[in-house]
Amino acid sequence: MDLPEIALVNVLSRFPLKSIARFRTVSKEWRSLIDSDFFRDHYISFKSSSSLSWSIIQTNPHKLSLEIVGHHGCNTWGLDRSPGSFLRFFAKSTIRKLLVLSCTDGLVSICAEASDGSPLYYIGNPLMEDWFQLPLPPFLSSQDLDSLRKNKRFSDTGFVTKIQSGVVVSYKVVWMLSHGRLSDKLDFMIYSSETGTWRKHHVSCPHSTVWERQDKSIALNGRLHWLSEDTPSFDASSIVAYDFYGGTGSDDDECRIIHFPGSQIDEVTGDNLFQRVYRRSFTASEGSIVYFNEFHVNETWTLRVWKLVKYEDCPEAWQLSWDLKLRSLIESGTCYFPVVMHPLNSDIIYLWNRTAKGLVLFNLRTRVFSVRKEAEEDGKCMDGCSLSFNWCSEYMDSIRKYNLPGYQGGPNSLFFSQYVLPRWLHRLPRPQST
C-alpha cells in the first residue's frame, strides 16, 4: 500500500543523507519527492541540530595523508568512514602528487600533478564523486604557467560559493597576483561556474601590505580571507578580506584590511609582562571568522578568543568571546599549540599536545578537556562523532616550529582546512550551456 506523501516525507526525514542518496534510485516518484524544495527544506529543518561529519585537512605540501583528523558516524550523514577518505579514489596512476588547496561548503579544490609535471586543477564534491577539471586561464603565458608551478608571482588561493536554500548554486575560483612583495594593489583571476570563463579583476588595498606566499585563504559567506603583514616581520598583523559576490566588479573596488585584536599587548615597553605565545592565525567557526591565541600575562597563561563581527579596521571589529585562565591545562603538564576551532561549535577548540602526541579537545564553556591519542581506537568525541587519525602526529611535528612567534624562517601560513559536509545533497554546479 502506498504511503501518503506527507507520511513518506516524515519517514524519509528520519534517515541520514547517506540513505537518502540511495532512496533517490528507488523510483521516479521518490527521486522527484527527494529533489523537491519542500522535502529539502523539511529535511534541513528536521536535522538542524544533528551533528555533521567533518575533517581537518592538511594544506602544507606533504607526503603524508591529506586528512589528518576525521569525524564520521555523525547523525546527518551517517558515514561509516571519515569524509577525507573519499578523496582517495581520485589518486590515479597518471597523477604524481595531490594537494588539497581549500574546502568550502562541502566542495573541495585540489591541485594534481600529472606524470609530465603539468598542473591539473579540479573542483569537486568527493561524496558524490563529482569532479570538474578547471580550464587554465587562456591569457596565461608559458612564463605564467612556470610561475604557477613554482608559486612565484601568483597563487591558487581559494574559492567561494553562493548558497540558496542550503544548496550551493555557484562557485568562483580565485587566483591572486600581487604587484611585488610590498604593494597596495592586487589582481585576481576569477573563474565563475556560472559563465565557465576566467576574467581578470583589479582591486586596491587601503594601504601597502606585505604579500609573501599568500597561497592559502579561508572562505566564508562569499569572502576570502588571507593572513597579511604590515612590515616584513614574518608574523601576520592583520587579515585581508574581499567579497567576491558582493563587490561592485569595477576596478575601483577595495579590499578590507582588519588588524588582529590585542596589538597593544605586543607593544608593551620591553618588560615582556604581556607576551603572545603563538604566531597569529585564524579559523572559521559557527559562521564567523575566529582568532585565538595564548598570552602570558603577569605569569599567568591566558587563552583569548575573538570573533570578527565587523569588516572595518577598528577596535569594534573584533568581539572578545573567551578570556580564560589555562590553569587546568598547564597543571596537566601539556605542551601544546592551537590547531582549529570546531567549525560548528565555537565552544570547542582543538590543540595539539606535543607531550602526549595527541589532540586536546577543550570545551571553553565547561573548562573540560580530553586528550585523544592517535594510537587509540576510534571513539566518540564532544560532538558525538567518532574521531579518527591518519599520520597526524608526524604532520604536527613537521609544522611545530612554524607556530612559534620567534620563528623567522618564513611567513605565516595556514596549515589546516576544515572540510565540513553540507546539510543537504548538492551536486557540483556546472557552467550553463551556451
Side-chain angles (χ1 to χ4, degrees):
M1 182 176 66
D2 292 336
L3 287 173
E5 185 173 279
I6 189 61
L8 182 58
V9 167
N10 290 329
V11 170
L12 293 179
S13 297
R14 299 181 182 277
F15 286 88
L17 283 175
K18 176 184 176 181
S19 301
I20 297 295
R22 293 200 305 267
F23 293 157
R24 293 179 72 253
T25 64
V26 170
S27 66
K28 291 182 179 180
E29 291 75 16
W30 279 36
R31 177 189 292 267
S32 177
L33 174 63
I34 291 172
D35 289 347
S36 68
D37 293 344
F38 170 76
F39 183 81
R40 178 198 63 217
D41 295 343
H42 178 82
Y43 189 91
I44 292 175
S45 176
F46 184 76
K47 295 281 189 177
S48 60
S49 60
S50 299
S51 57
L52 279 173
S53 298
W54 67 285
S55 293
I56 299 177
I57 303 290
Q58 62 100 347
T59 55
N60 194 37
H62 214 273
K63 296 180 181 179
L64 303 177
S65 173
L66 298 175
E67 176 193 70
I68 56 174
V69 180
H71 296 69
H72 63 277
C74 308
N75 294 333
T76 301
W77 279 90
L79 301 177
D80 55 6
R81 58 190 175 108
S82 60
S85 64
F86 289 86
L87 288 166
R88 295 174 186 168
F89 85 96
F90 197 84
K92 302 176 182 177
S93 59
T94 55
I95 293 176
R96 288 195 313 197
K97 188 186 302 181
L98 195 66
L99 175 66
V100 175
L101 301 175
S102 53
C103 309
T104 307
D105 296 322
L107 303 182
V108 176
S109 167
I110 67 172
C111 176
E113 184 178 305
S115 55
D116 61 357
S118 58
L120 306 171
Y121 291 87
Y122 295 86
I123 297 288
N125 184 328
L127 266 69
M128 301 294 183
E129 297 190 1
D130 188 11
W131 294 94
F132 175 70
Q133 183 176 350
L134 290 172
L136 292 175
F139 40 77
L140 290 183
S141 65
S142 58
Q143 183 179 1
D144 288 333
L145 287 173
D146 184 63
S147 297
L148 181 61
R149 291 188 186 98
K150 299 176 181 178
N151 200 9
K152 286 182 177 178
R153 293 184 62 240
F154 61 88
S155 52
D156 36 11
T157 183
F159 73 103
V160 293
T161 62
K162 178 191 288 186
I163 296 180
Q164 293 179 355
S165 301
V167 177
V168 174
V169 296
S170 72
Y171 63 84
K172 292 182 180 181
V173 177
V174 180
W175 294 356
M176 181 176 65
L177 170 65
S178 59
H179 292 253
R181 187 162 180 262
L182 182 65
S183 175
D184 63 351
K185 295 180 175 61
L186 290 172
D187 284 332
F188 293 123
M189 290 172 278
I190 304 171
Y191 175 86
S192 171
S193 66
E194 296 176 353
T195 63
T197 59
W198 288 88
R199 68 179 179 89
K200 293 182 178 180
H201 182 47
H202 175 78
V203 174
S204 61
C205 298
H207 56 77
S208 293
T209 302
V210 177
W211 299 101
E212 185 76 29
R213 284 182 60 84
Q214 302 295 336
D215 56 342
K216 296 292 183 290
S217 61
I218 291 180
L220 186 67
N221 301 327
R223 290 185 174 96
L224 286 182
H225 308 77
W226 301 266
L227 286 165
S228 183
E229 302 124 28
D230 289 342
T231 59
S233 64
F234 294 114
D235 192 9
S237 57
S238 60
I239 62 171
V240 176
Y242 183 73
D243 189 344
F244 288 89
Y245 278 102
T248 65
S250 62
D251 283 344
D252 59 356
D253 266 1
E254 190 173 73
C255 60
R256 300 296 180 94
I257 296 180
I258 306 107
H259 284 81
F260 281 110
S263 59
Q264 71 278 7
I265 294 174
D266 301 323
E267 297 164 2
V268 177
T269 57
D271 52 8
N272 290 325
L273 290 176
F274 302 92
Q275 182 180 356
R276 195 163 34 84
V277 179
Y278 303 107
R279 304 182 77 197
R280 287 194 173 100
S281 185
F282 66 110
T283 183
S285 181
E286 284 195 275
S288 297
I289 294 296
V290 178
Y291 163 59
F292 52 91
N293 212 319
E294 186 181 327
F295 297 88
H296 195 198
V297 184
N298 295 329
E299 299 184 356
T300 301
W301 301 97
T302 303
L303 178 69
R304 292 190 175 99
V305 181
W306 288 270
K307 180 170 65 175
L308 183 63
V309 295
K310 185 182 297 186
Y311 281 82
E312 296 180 11
D313 198 16
C314 62
E316 297 78 25
W318 297 92
Q319 181 183 83
L320 184 63
S321 301
W322 300 101
D323 187 353
L324 301 177
K325 303 290 190 299
L326 294 181
R327 188 174 297 109
S328 59
L329 279 176
I330 299 302
E331 290 176 351
S332 70
T334 54
C335 179
Y336 58 86
F337 60 85
V339 179
V340 296
M341 298 287 290
H342 192 294
L344 304 169
N345 187 342
S346 58
D347 290 353
I348 301 175
I349 189 171
Y350 286 66
L351 312 158
W352 180 252
N353 181 344
R354 290 182 52 236
T355 308
K357 299 290 185 181
L359 197 66
V360 179
L361 283 65
F362 185 35
N363 190 309
L364 302 172
R365 187 174 300 279
T366 64
R367 315 292 176 90
V368 173
F369 70 92
S370 61
V371 180
R372 302 296 304 278
K373 297 183 180 181
E374 190 165 0
E376 297 173 347
E377 294 184 4
D378 296 355
K380 294 293 183 181
C381 57
M382 291 179 178
D383 56 8
C385 304
S386 296
L387 196 65
S388 60
F389 297 91
N390 197 356
W391 298 98
C392 185
S393 179
E394 287 81 355
Y395 183 69
M396 294 300 182
D397 285 344
S398 73
I399 66 168
R400 182 187 68 85
K401 61 183 179 181
Y402 299 104
N403 291 276
L404 304 178
Y407 178 69
Q408 296 297 315
N412 279 72
S413 294
L414 296 174
F415 293 103
F416 311 101
S417 185
Q418 300 154 307
Y419 172 38
V420 186
L421 300 192
R423 292 198 176 275
W424 183 245
L425 307 164
H426 58 241
R427 303 198 68 84
L428 188 67
R430 300 284 178 168
Q432 296 180 357
S433 301
T434 57

